[in-house]
Amino acid sequence: MSHNTNGLARTPLRVQLSPLIDLRFPEFDKHYQLTRLFPEEERYCLAFRPFDCREWHRRHIETILGSVGQRRHFPVYRMSHGEFIMSVGRLDGAQWNELTLRQKASRAYHSLRRRAGIEPVFRSGSTDNTHETFGRDTISRAYAIYLKSLYSIAREGMLAVGLHRAPRYRQYLDPFLDWMDENLIRLDTDNYAHLYSIYVLMHGSDRARLLQGRSVVVVTSLTTERKHILTVALQREGASQVQFLSVSPNQAMFDQLDLSSLKLPVDVVLVGAGVGAASVIEQVRALRAVVL
């Protein structure tokens, strides 16, 4: 049994999040039909109550959109496979019996290389953009920044978490929820959204409501050419202004951002920085914007 900040016992998150609901989002019925082909346990996500996922999504999206232009810091942090590993470490053994001999050999090989310091202790993301890597000499510092940042984000904004039973996720669910309890990180009906809700926001009709007439800042690691492509795309969606802040491709957690070059006010900040987005979100607090 965990305790809240008042020292009172509370029901563990793994118990609170026992209802399973269909992953179904407005405007994405084709995706929903495809999930019907998955094994039953992979078609659902964990929720606090057994409600319609579309209503759950809509409530959180309206909260996000209603915060745009209000001149207050409202962070939304996406949490997926990399963030789970950052929280509780890499959990490789849960599906060991399902692996082929070759897969077992590969897993053991990379595990030994990480222990020897030849490979990073932590790696997550895409080599096409940001991909955080931490060695044995930096992982403790990265973890401390991550934990402190996550605590603030959860208290002030929203966590978009992939709590569904897909193969790469399911072994992390209970350990991650226990870790949230142990570190007193808030997760409840008001601040828990599903990971896919952010994708639906950025690729559905609500994208216009987010970007139309807005001053947008993009924080990521991009070449000049890709910045131009993204600027054109955002302006096509109606953004009134697009500015960039650069972060390193694999150490964004440790970057110190200089906001002085930005033209204010800023309405929306879009962050692409792997797990290091937690640190970035805290550093752009002074912009008083919605941060995704």
Side-chain angles (χ1 to χ4, degrees):
M1 185 73 71
S2 59
H3 294 75
N4 60 26
T5 53
N6 296 318
L8 300 176
R10 68 177 183 184
T11 304
L13 282 170
R14 65 158 70 188
V15 176
Q16 293 186 59
L17 285 160
S18 56
L20 296 175
I21 64 173
D22 258 337
L23 277 172
R24 187 173 189 178
F25 297 90
E27 302 182 64
F28 284 77
D29 282 335
K30 185 175 182 179
H31 171 270
Y32 173 70
Q33 294 303 324
L34 288 174
T35 64
R36 301 299 87 195
L37 304 176
F38 297 167
E40 184 172 337
E41 69 168 3
E42 297 178 21
R43 301 202 306 249
Y44 303 101
C45 71
L46 305 183
F48 284 100
R49 293 195 299 270
F51 39 43
D52 189 311
C53 186
R54 292 166 293 186
E55 296 176 5
W56 179 32
H57 165 82
R58 176 52 51 196
R59 180 164 60 88
H60 286 307
I61 293 307
E62 290 301 326
T63 297
I64 293 171
L65 295 175
S67 299
V68 179
Q70 298 302 306
R71 301 293 169 256
R72 68 184 182 96
H73 177 64
F74 189 83
V76 181
Y77 185 51
R78 169 191 177 278
M79 302 191 74
S80 185
H81 189 246
E83 287 70 28
F84 294 161
I85 296 174
M86 191 68 199
S87 301
V88 301
R90 190 179 301 274
L91 303 180
D92 285 336
Q95 302 177 68
W96 183 260
N97 292 334
E98 302 172 14
L99 301 179
T100 65
L101 182 60
R102 184 173 182 176
Q103 289 172 327
K104 289 178 180 178
S106 175
R107 182 171 289 186
Y109 170 73
H110 288 290
S111 178
L112 286 172
R113 285 173 62 87
R114 285 193 294 271
R115 292 177 184 176
I118 300 171
E119 291 185 10
V121 175
F122 175 91
R123 181 186 179 91
S124 177
S126 168
T127 54
D128 292 337
N129 193 5
T130 54
H131 55 285
E132 294 286 80
T133 57
F134 305 124
R136 288 184 297 179
D137 57 334
T138 58
I139 186 64
S140 294
R141 180 180 167 217
Y143 177 83
I145 296 171
Y146 169 76
L147 181 59
K148 182 178 179 181
S149 301
L150 187 59
Y151 183 84
S152 294
I153 295 168
R155 188 178 69 250
E156 299 174 287
M158 195 175 294
L159 301 179
V161 196
L163 296 180
H164 51 268
R165 299 186 180 281
R168 295 179 67 211
Y169 289 76
R170 58 187 176 223
Q171 70 265 35
Y172 287 95
L173 297 186
D174 283 348
F176 172 73
L177 294 175
D178 291 344
W179 178 85
M180 294 280 282
D181 277 331
E182 290 165 7
N183 289 283
L184 301 178
I185 297 172
R186 176 188 167 210
L187 192 70
D188 54 36
T189 55
D190 291 328
N191 80 335
Y192 165 45
H194 191 271
L195 167 71
Y196 290 170
S197 278
I198 305 306
Y199 299 149
V200 173
L201 170 61
M202 297 305 299
H203 294 282
S205 60
D206 285 320
R207 178 173 58 191
R209 294 176 61 194
L210 177 71
L211 299 174
Q212 185 72 41
R214 305 300 186 183
S215 173
V216 180
V217 170
V218 181
V219 187
T220 192
S221 172
L222 290 177
T223 62
T224 300
E225 180 183 3
R226 293 183 71 180
K227 285 181 180 178
H228 173 71
I229 293 171
L230 187 54
T231 298
V232 171
L234 290 170
Q235 290 176 338
R236 187 183 300 123
E237 294 296 331
S240 61
Q241 179 174 250
V242 181
Q243 303 176 82
F244 288 88
L245 285 174
S246 293
V247 292
S248 58
N250 55 15
Q251 296 285 289
M253 190 75 81
F254 304 132
D255 285 347
Q256 296 298 311
L257 301 183
D258 180 4
L259 308 181
S260 63
S261 64
L262 298 177
K263 296 178 181 179
L264 303 178
V266 171
D267 299 305
V268 177
V269 182
L270 303 176
V271 182
V275 297
S279 174
V280 171
I281 286 172
E282 283 297 282
Q283 292 188 62
V284 299
R285 175 185 296 276
L287 299 180
R288 299 166 64 194
V290 168
V291 189
L292 300 169

